[in-house]
Each structure stands twice: as structure tokens, then as C-alpha cells.
Amino acid sequence: MSVVRLSAARVSGSLARWGPTASLIIALAVLWEGLSWILANVARVPLAQSRLPYVHEVLKTFAVYWPVLAKEASVTSVTVAEGFALGAFTGVSLALLMSLSRTAERILMPYATASQMVPILGLAPIIYGIVHDENVARILIAAYVTFFPVALNTLRGLTGTPPQAVELMKTYAASIWQTYWKVRLPAALPALAGGMKIAAPLSVTGAILVELMGAQHGIGVLLLRNLYYGPSHAYMFWATLITGALMGLAGYGLVQVIERIFVPWQPEFRRKGGARP
């Protein structure tokens, strides 16, 4: 009987957690389908399906061409993962350096901030033209859009460590590295995770932009190819576009799962009463 109650409680909890999201997705799909029908049959907009295609036709395209979409997505995903790892490592390293030295922060932060003023759409062809390698260019752009939010959030976490904890470490004659390892770095993990969640979808966008510059494989190449053929490939274009969006969401979700594993003490990961979910 207790097992049945526990299972019912878990099902109820899952419905409470995912029910609103599922309802929103269904409502958006119905609204999309209705607007598409209105454009095609009431407003009679020319080439209506290339502007807003039927949801069921896009889903049918997914079902037919998912091997192609998965293959191209995997190419993009590998370089995104490499660029994201490089950018996260660079961001954390910069944050550590700036937290150790006020002089380093005053020197580096303006340049790091100024680097984000350059539009990715303008930087991508420049990087691609310099390195002449689509994989390296994708990695560099993904790293470029990753490092700043990671550095900024990690620095905020490192410098926002409770002073009482730092003072306590000093009373125990702890070295600066012991203080960082035992106090500052654990305190900065939630902020680091926040920066990584911001950067994950952006790194996907950056890699796809590079692919639009003339790569041989990847979601961006498939997107450009279907855009070139116009209305005849409208459903495939939208399926590719949605695949790219899902890749960004998957990156965000993966970082969130890692955050739950390594930073489980955050309030949003606890049930009522303080127990972990």
C-alpha cells in the first residue's frame, strides 16, 4: 500500500512539475496550426506555408528526415561542446585571476567587456577567413560567446563569498589556495552554473553562424541549403530551424542537470521541508 502511495505521489509530483510546460507546448502548437490554416485558407497569403507551415507537416518532415537532421546536428554539437569547454575554462581562469588581483581586474575587465561589443554576425566571417578551417572557427566562436558570461558570473561568485567564512579560514591560518578550494570556489559554483546556462544556447548560435559562412557540414549548412531552395523545402527549413533551437535547449538542460549533481544545496533544488528532490 505504501508503494502505491509513493508511486502516486511521484506521478502527482511529475504532473505538477511538467504539466504547465506540456500544456503551454500543446497550446502553442494548436495556435500555430490555427494561424497557419488562417494564412493559407482565409487570408490566402502567397506562399503561406513557407511563412508559417503546418505543425503536422513539420513533424512529418522530422519523422522522414530525422537521420539527416541527427547527423548534421551531431557535427555541430561536437564543435559546440569543444568550444563551450574552451570558453568555460578561459572564463573561469580569468575570473580566478581577477579575483586574486584588483589590478588584473581593472586591466582585464574593460577589454573583456569591449570584446562583447563586436557582433557575432560580423566576427564569424572574420574568424572563418583567418583560420580557413570550419571546425576551428566553430570552436573559437563558441568559446568566444561562452567565456564572458562564465567569467562575469564566476567573478561575482568568488568576490561575493561571505566575509565570515573567509575570516574563519584566516583564523585557521589557511593559505589563499586552501581558502579558494574550501570556501570561495564552492560558494561560486551556483554563479558559475548560471553563467554556463546563459552561454550554452549562445554557443550553439555562434557555431551555426559560422556554418552559414561556407562550412561543409552542420545544422547551419542544412539550414542555408533549404533556405536557398525556397518554398519547395519550407518544411525541411523549419524542421532544421527547430532542431537548432532544440540543440540550444538541450545544452541548457545538460548544464542544469550537472548543476543539480554538483550544486544540490541550492534552495530551488529542495522540496518543502529542506529535503533534496
Side-chain angles (χ1 to χ4, degrees):
M1 192 69 176
S2 60
V3 175
V4 174
R5 288 178 179 176
L6 181 60
S7 300
R10 287 180 176 176
V11 171
S12 177
S14 298
L15 288 175
R17 181 181 301 177
W18 298 108
T21 302
S23 299
L24 178 61
I25 292 174
I26 293 172
L28 289 175
V30 171
L31 178 62
W32 182 346
E33 190 83 355
L35 288 175
S36 180
W37 184 86
I38 290 172
L39 286 177
N41 298 282
V42 179
R44 299 194 180 277
V45 176
L47 304 176
Q49 286 301 289
S50 64
R51 300 174 189 273
L52 192 67
Y54 288 121
V55 176
H56 69 273
E57 291 292 348
V58 176
L59 293 177
K60 187 187 298 184
T61 303
F62 267 115
V64 174
Y65 293 100
W66 71 265
V68 177
L69 292 167
K71 179 182 177 181
E72 299 301 330
S74 65
V75 173
T76 303
S77 297
V78 170
T79 51
V80 166
E82 293 172 348
F84 182 79
L86 176 61
F89 176 79
T90 304
V92 172
S93 300
L94 283 174
L96 286 170
L97 179 59
M98 290 188 288
S99 69
L100 285 167
S101 171
R102 291 285 184 180
T103 302
E105 182 180 357
R106 286 195 296 268
I107 293 174
L108 295 175
M109 184 55 76
Y111 288 103
T113 305
S115 70
Q116 302 304 298
M117 300 298 104
V118 181
I120 305 176
L121 189 61
L123 185 63
I126 295 175
I127 296 297
Y128 186 77
I130 292 173
V131 300
H132 295 292
D133 187 302
E134 61 185 80
N135 291 327
V136 175
R138 279 183 290 210
I139 292 171
L140 291 177
I141 289 295
Y144 167 78
V145 298
T146 298
F147 93 90
F148 185 74
V150 170
L152 190 63
N153 282 270
T154 305
L155 179 62
R156 185 188 63 183
L158 291 170
T159 56
T161 305
Q164 300 88 341
V166 177
E167 289 299 325
L168 180 62
M169 295 298 290
K170 288 181 179 179
T171 62
Y172 285 106
S175 68
I176 188 171
W177 299 116
Q178 289 174 324
T179 302
Y180 266 77
W181 183 251
K182 297 291 186 180
V183 176
R184 290 191 181 274
L185 284 174
L189 285 178
L192 168 61
M196 292 175 70
K197 284 191 286 188
I198 294 172
L202 292 176
S203 62
V204 175
T205 302
I208 290 176
L209 279 175
V210 173
E211 292 170 350
L212 295 176
M213 301 298 113
Q216 298 298 317
H217 299 283
I219 282 295
V221 176
L222 199 59
L223 194 68
L224 189 63
R225 188 181 303 157
N226 288 289
L227 181 64
Y228 176 79
Y229 285 108
S232 62
H233 284 215
Y235 298 128
M236 188 61 179
F237 171 80
W238 279 86
T240 308
L241 188 66
I242 294 173
T243 300
L246 292 176
M247 288 171 60
L249 288 174
Y252 180 93
L254 179 59
V255 173
Q256 194 168 42
V257 169
I258 294 173
E259 181 186 17
R260 282 179 175 269
I261 295 172
F262 290 98
V263 199
W265 59 82
Q266 295 189 79
E268 60 266 31
F269 296 152
R270 294 182 179 273
R271 291 178 181 157
K272 292 181 180 180
R276 285 182 59 187

